[in-house]
Amino acid sequence: MACFDLDSSQLFSNTHSIDSSFTLHFERSVSDEFLATPNACTSTQTQSVSNIPEPPPLPGASQARNSFSEKLKGCNFAPDETRRMWDKLFYDGYEADVRVVTDDDGVILAHSSVLQGINSPVLRSMLEQPRAKGGFRCIRIPGVPSEAARVFIRFLYSSCFDRDAMKSYVLHLLVLSHTFSVPCIKKVCVSQLEQALLTTDNVVDVLQLARQCDAPRLSLLCTRLIVKDFKTVSASEGWRVMKQVSRSLEQELLESLVETDSRKAERARKAEERKVYVQLHEAMEALVHICRDGCRTIGPRDKMLKGSQAACGFPACKGLELLVRHFSGCRTRVPGGCANCISRRRCRI
């Protein structure tokens, strides 16, 4: 069983007002205390009071608010006992007054007091209807199996779910979270799909649902997976169905694929150009080194090279040295004769 940790800092949205009111009350109490002191004071008392150093300033409201929020970061989860209690309340259905009905004649018992506490305007509007004769309010969830609706209602109680159930009904839960405006469940579905449940077989279906359910991050992840492994995705059943249903989406994905390939080719071209520039830079540095400092047996004529001279540290120096030696003593300079001399002549041209 996996549990979703809700951030309890959302429960304290008016922390700034609490801190500011506390500071104001403290300052007023201090000022009243000073005003209540008698005016008649001896010179000794006045001198002793004047010698007391001034206290440091009170911490600002922003500093107090930040420290308070940092303390709350470690309290953003409910104990396991509380989760088990909410699960027991859901499964037992004690004093339930709501019936959730699905298309396959499944009935799920729930409590209106719990559902009204959920931050969902859709559920609240459904619960405003009058009760039926049996004392139950009825909420109908069409288009999904009863087990998916059960997982959805259970999450509203305890923020928990079984991993097998999530794997089977993650797409149904994504649709339900959007239909009933429950963003925390949508966030969990997107996270589960991103971590393990998004595959090349279902990525096209997930992409279409993500666009309809206002999940931009999930839509971006699906697009990246399709572009990354387009050959496998294009052979899936979801792609074939999508081609028949949504031609515009197919065209958009193909354009994204072409754009990605173009960017890859541009990056490869720039990398190759950068490599050539680096080689030219190394060759120029080696030429300056040879002509200025001397390298092994090549260098200025007026400079004697020492026999114990250290080995050259320039990568291109050895190759340039060999070429210079070849150019100075080459006897085969007819067209089609020496390959090195032909290359030098082409460079001059």
Side-chain angles (χ1 to χ4, degrees):
M1 180 183 71
C3 298
F4 176 66
D5 296 336
L6 297 177
D7 189 1
S8 62
S9 61
Q10 299 175 357
L11 302 177
F12 304 94
S13 58
N14 56 351
T15 308
H16 176 69
S17 61
I18 295 175
D19 293 337
S20 59
S21 62
F22 175 77
T23 305
L24 180 61
H25 176 70
F26 180 76
E27 292 176 352
R28 286 181 178 177
S29 63
V30 173
S31 62
D32 293 341
E33 182 180 353
F34 278 103
L35 290 175
T37 57
N39 295 327
C41 297
T42 62
S43 61
T44 306
Q45 291 176 346
T46 305
Q47 184 178 1
S48 62
V49 170
S50 62
N51 294 332
I52 298 177
E54 295 183 0
L58 293 174
S62 60
Q63 182 179 356
R65 182 172 64 254
N66 293 335
S67 61
F68 184 67
S69 60
E70 289 178 358
K71 292 180 181 179
L72 289 177
K73 286 182 180 179
C75 306
N76 59 350
F77 62 91
D80 294 337
E81 293 78 7
T82 304
R83 298 181 187 277
R84 285 194 291 267
M85 180 191 69
W86 285 108
D87 272 341
K88 179 174 172 47
L89 178 64
F90 168 70
Y91 286 118
D92 293 347
Y94 180 73
E95 295 293 336
D97 57 350
V98 177
R99 287 179 178 175
V100 181
V101 184
T102 57
D103 289 344
D104 54 356
D105 298 332
V107 178
I108 305 169
L109 299 179
H111 302 81
S112 60
S113 57
V114 176
L115 299 182
Q116 286 177 350
I118 304 299
N119 188 16
S120 172
V122 180
L123 284 174
R124 290 178 183 176
S125 62
M126 288 183 173
L127 293 173
E128 290 176 355
Q129 61 182 343
R131 298 190 179 188
K133 294 182 179 180
F136 286 89
R137 293 186 177 93
C138 183
I139 297 178
R140 181 169 294 277
I141 302 181
V144 297
S146 59
E147 287 301 321
R150 187 178 300 276
V151 175
F152 176 73
I153 300 298
R154 181 200 173 188
F155 191 94
L156 297 180
Y157 273 74
S158 61
S159 300
C160 296
F161 58 88
D162 294 329
R163 295 195 179 277
D164 294 338
M166 175 61 70
K167 184 177 181 180
S168 302
Y169 303 111
V170 61
L171 299 184
H172 300 87
L173 293 176
L174 179 63
V175 175
L176 290 174
S177 65
H178 179 72
T179 303
F180 289 94
S181 299
V182 186
C184 61
I185 299 183
K186 181 185 293 186
K187 182 178 179 181
V188 173
C189 294
V190 172
S191 177
Q192 293 295 317
L193 286 167
E194 179 180 358
Q195 293 176 6
L197 301 181
L198 188 62
T199 63
T200 55
D201 294 331
N202 64 0
V203 63
V204 178
D205 298 331
V206 175
L207 175 61
Q208 297 179 76
L209 283 179
R211 294 194 168 194
Q212 295 178 1
C213 296
D214 191 19
R217 175 175 176 80
L218 183 58
S219 177
L220 178 61
L221 293 173
C222 293
T223 304
R224 287 181 176 178
L225 181 58
I226 293 174
V227 172
K228 181 180 178 180
D229 198 359
F230 179 76
K231 185 176 180 180
T232 305
V233 174
S234 60
S236 63
E237 182 65 24
W239 180 270
R240 289 193 290 268
V241 174
M242 184 268 297
K243 289 176 60 177
Q244 301 175 0
V245 175
S246 178
R247 283 288 191 180
S248 59
L249 180 58
E250 178 192 7
Q251 183 66 26
E252 183 177 348
L253 291 175
L254 292 177
E255 291 177 358
S256 300
L257 179 64
V258 173
E259 183 180 357
T260 303
D261 292 340
S262 300
R263 286 199 299 265
K264 287 182 179 180
E266 183 67 17
R267 286 195 298 266
R269 184 183 64 81
K270 290 183 178 180
E272 188 65 25
E273 289 180 355
R274 192 179 301 110
K275 182 179 178 181
V276 173
Y277 293 150
V278 170
Q279 292 176 353
L280 290 174
H281 176 71
E282 292 177 353
M284 294 301 298
E285 284 188 340
L287 282 173
V288 172
H289 163 66
I290 291 172
C291 298
R292 182 185 62 190
D293 304 327
C295 181
R296 298 183 186 275
T297 58
I298 296 180
R301 295 182 179 180
D302 57 348
K303 184 175 180 179
M304 298 299 295
L305 299 178
K306 298 180 181 180
S308 61
Q309 185 174 356
C312 179
F314 290 87
C317 188
K318 184 62 178 178
L320 288 173
E321 180 182 351
L322 295 176
L323 284 176
V324 172
R325 285 184 178 183
H326 172 79
F327 295 153
S328 62
C330 181
R331 297 287 184 265
T332 310
R333 296 186 177 181
V334 296
C338 180
N340 293 325
C341 295
I342 293 175
S343 300
R344 183 180 65 170
R345 189 179 299 110
R346 288 177 179 174
C347 294
R348 288 180 177 178
I349 295 174

